[in-house]
Amino acid sequence: MTRVRRKVAVVLAVTAVLAVSACSSGTSTTPAKSGAGNTKDVEVFTWWAAGGEKAGLDGMISVFNKTCSQYTFVNAAVAGGGGDKAKTLLANNLKAGNAPSSFQAHAGGELSDYIANGQVEDITAVFKAAGLDTAFPKELLDQITVAGKVYSVPADIHRANMVWVNPVVLKKAKLDPAKAPATVKDWIADLAKLKAAGVATPLALSKGFAEEMLLESTLLGDLGVEKFNGLYDGSTKWDGADVTAALGDFKALVSYSNADRETMDWDAAMSKYLMPTDPATATGGYQLMGDWVPAQLVSLKMPESSYMYWPAPGTDGVYQWLSDSFTLPKGGTNPEGAKCWLKVVGSAEGQKAFNLVKGSIPARSDATSEGYPKYQQWAMAQWKASKLAPSLAHGSAGPGAWNNDVQTAMSAFSANPDVATLQTTLVAAAGKYSNWRKTLG
Ligand code: GAL
């Protein structure tokens, strides 16, 4: 297999550096849910509070209600794309000894933070009892395993490096919406054509993690997969001339986006610019976003014919992956009920009910594409045939503290798009964290 295998196993020797991220933010905590303390309640913490994301969670809950009928599901979702608000609240709740029954964490670097902090239980026994030790691809198992111990159950695989296209808008500049520009530079040229044709927002963009995703896909497109992956293990230098050139391209891309990007989340930008209620009246041409988009568009009742999609320019053949997984927190409420939830998360039935409506593909290797919408059928084939790259914005490439530093740099860049300042900040962040894989073995 030509996949680049990103080994993140053996997270035992995680440094104090990693521990910073889960404890670094504010002091607010969520109050215990009214049901907490009721031995039947299983309180599950996610950031899937609306739209296609909630639909996915609801699918999983429906299987839980059937399979774990002795328990009551308590939905502790906290809204905010990419988990920006949720992760801060969770960190504070865990610190305050107020853990839910189970919480969402990305496989890879993000999970390693919780392991390093001693906040999640070893669930190897639960995993084995449910027959999950042979259910997932080895690459994914490596991301949730530390020194032979398993710490979470993966629910899905999402792809980050995707561009969503409004065909009606592209036709205004006589661009073929079905044809992806081959390179980042070609994409910039097409954005210029859209602008010249009077399109107000060639590229719809939103704050925080969405800007970081655009940055990562620009680096991936310009540097290629091997060099890109090297950014996260120290083998590619963040101060290189090739990174400077990619940051110049990132600046050009951002210049074609909406000025109010810092005021909105990805779904709001999508509804405002790319896919308003009537997509024929859209003022936005493209949006780079993960493949939770098709589920969102289903929830908005947009027909599949109203949009197109392709891998971000220069990244065809690469699956920039991330995986949502669920944990058993130390000291969480109702651990037995939580184990029932984890079994559902890992089960073929639970994964189907969830992924069918979430836009993602099942993490289990035995899943078939039968019954899935067109996008996911394509994604399943792509997952098998592509090289892999991780995502810092969604926790697979590195620890949360690194992600936080880059997101801070994103809002600074949005206000003052200076390439040299951005590169200096990225170099400094990598200096603090890029050794993490080596430390982990
Ligand atoms: C990601 C998560 C996805 C989706 C997305 C947007 O971090 O893995 O499942 O929820 O955020 O909120």
Side-chain angles (χ1 to χ4, degrees):
M1 182 157 60
T2 52
R3 294 174 168 214
V4 178
R5 289 160 201 255
R6 313 302 305 165
K7 266 204 130 192
V8 204
V10 199
V11 190
L12 260 192
V14 177
T15 58
V17 160
L18 296 184
V20 172
S21 69
C23 308
S24 58
S25 32
T27 51
S28 64
T29 55
T30 40
K33 293 279 165 285
S34 53
N38 179 337
T39 51
K40 289 188 163 205
D41 288 349
V42 176
E43 188 191 348
V44 176
F45 187 96
T46 69
W47 54 88
W48 297 328
E53 304 190 327
K54 181 174 183 299
L57 179 61
D58 286 345
M60 193 75 93
I61 295 171
S62 68
V63 180
F64 174 85
N65 288 342
K66 217 170 46 176
T67 312
C68 308
S69 55
Q70 68 275 39
Y71 298 112
T72 306
F73 189 90
V74 177
N75 192 341
V78 172
D84 55 352
K85 287 190 198 68
K87 282 191 256 184
T88 304
L89 280 167
L90 178 66
N92 292 329
N93 280 343
L94 294 178
K95 217 176 151 191
N98 190 15
S101 309
S102 181
F103 65 82
Q104 175 188 359
H106 288 119
E110 189 179 303
L111 180 66
S112 76
D113 289 341
Y114 300 113
I115 301 170
N117 290 337
Q119 291 165 324
V120 286
E121 298 279 6
D122 162 14
I123 59 162
T124 314
V126 182
F127 218 72
K128 287 205 172 128
L132 296 178
D133 39 344
T134 53
F136 302 106
K138 182 174 180 318
E139 291 93 334
L140 184 55
L141 217 46
D142 285 345
Q143 315 287 329
I144 54 168
T145 305
V146 175
K149 294 178 181 165
V150 178
Y151 286 91
S152 70
V153 179
D156 65 7
I157 304 284
H158 265 304
R159 187 177 192 177
N161 58 319
M162 289 298 300
V163 175
W164 309 90
V165 183
N166 184 315
V168 178
V169 174
L170 259 67
K171 279 179 188 150
K172 291 184 183 160
K174 300 194 171 43
L175 295 172
D176 178 357
K179 201 169 156 256
T183 64
V184 175
K185 289 257 187 285
D186 292 342
W187 195 22
I188 294 169
D190 286 353
L191 287 161
K193 285 181 198 155
L194 281 177
K195 195 164 186 184
V199 171
T201 307
L203 180 62
L205 188 57
S206 56
K207 65 182 174 178
F209 82 89
E211 292 165 335
E212 187 182 8
M213 289 177 75
L214 185 65
L215 170 74
E216 287 197 276
S217 69
T218 307
L219 288 164
L220 183 56
D222 277 352
L223 268 57
V225 65
E226 275 80 20
K227 270 194 161 183
F228 173 83
N229 287 340
L231 290 170
Y232 294 116
D233 66 15
S235 61
T236 301
K237 300 288 167 231
W238 283 87
D239 59 3
D242 45 4
V243 173
T244 314
L247 297 183
D249 284 346
F250 174 63
K251 177 175 174 168
L253 291 172
V254 173
S255 76
Y256 289 105
S257 73
N258 40 304
D260 61 356
R261 56 189 171 262
E262 289 302 312
T263 67
M264 62 185 70
D265 214 339
W266 69 276
D267 46 350
M270 180 150 277
S271 290
K272 182 167 179 186
Y273 295 111
L274 197 80
M275 287 281 142
T277 316
D278 176 2
T281 64
T283 56
Y286 309 99
Q287 187 167 352
L288 183 130
M289 190 40 60
D291 61 6
W292 35 94
V293 165
Q296 178 68 5
L297 294 177
V298 167
S299 81
L300 295 174
K301 304 201 174 6
M302 296 291 172
E304 269 188 357
S305 57
S306 60
Y307 62 95
M308 294 184 141
Y309 48 82
W310 18 261
T315 74
D316 196 13
V318 181
Y319 210 103
Q320 193 191 13
W321 71 275
L322 56 119
S323 174
D324 296 298
S325 72
F326 282 89
T327 61
L328 183 64
K330 283 215 170 114
T333 54
N334 198 353
E336 287 313 308
K339 287 176 194 165
C340 202
W341 164 251
L342 293 179
K343 277 182 209 156
V344 169
V345 169
S347 69
E349 193 189 359
Q351 299 223 337
K352 186 146 195 186
F354 174 80
N355 286 290
L356 265 178
V357 284
K358 177 72 166 69
S360 41
I361 60 174
R364 290 180 65 103
S365 356
D366 60 0
T368 64
S369 59
E370 204 189 322
Y372 277 88
K374 199 173 104 205
Y375 172 77
Q376 281 127 304
Q377 298 212 4
W378 176 77
M380 283 186 216
Q382 289 267 304
W383 168 245
K384 289 201 182 108
S386 302
K387 292 184 176 182
L388 300 185
S391 154
L392 186 65
H394 300 287
S396 46
W402 193 353
N403 181 35
N404 291 345
D405 278 11
V406 175
Q407 288 206 11
T408 304
M410 290 294 91
S411 56
F413 185 81
S414 186
N416 173 25
D418 181 63
V419 165
T421 307
L422 175 60
Q423 191 161 14
T424 304
T425 314
L426 294 174
V427 169
K432 286 194 271 179
Y433 308 115
S434 71
N435 216 24
W436 76 287
R437 285 182 195 277
K438 291 196 187 96
T439 320
L440 305 177

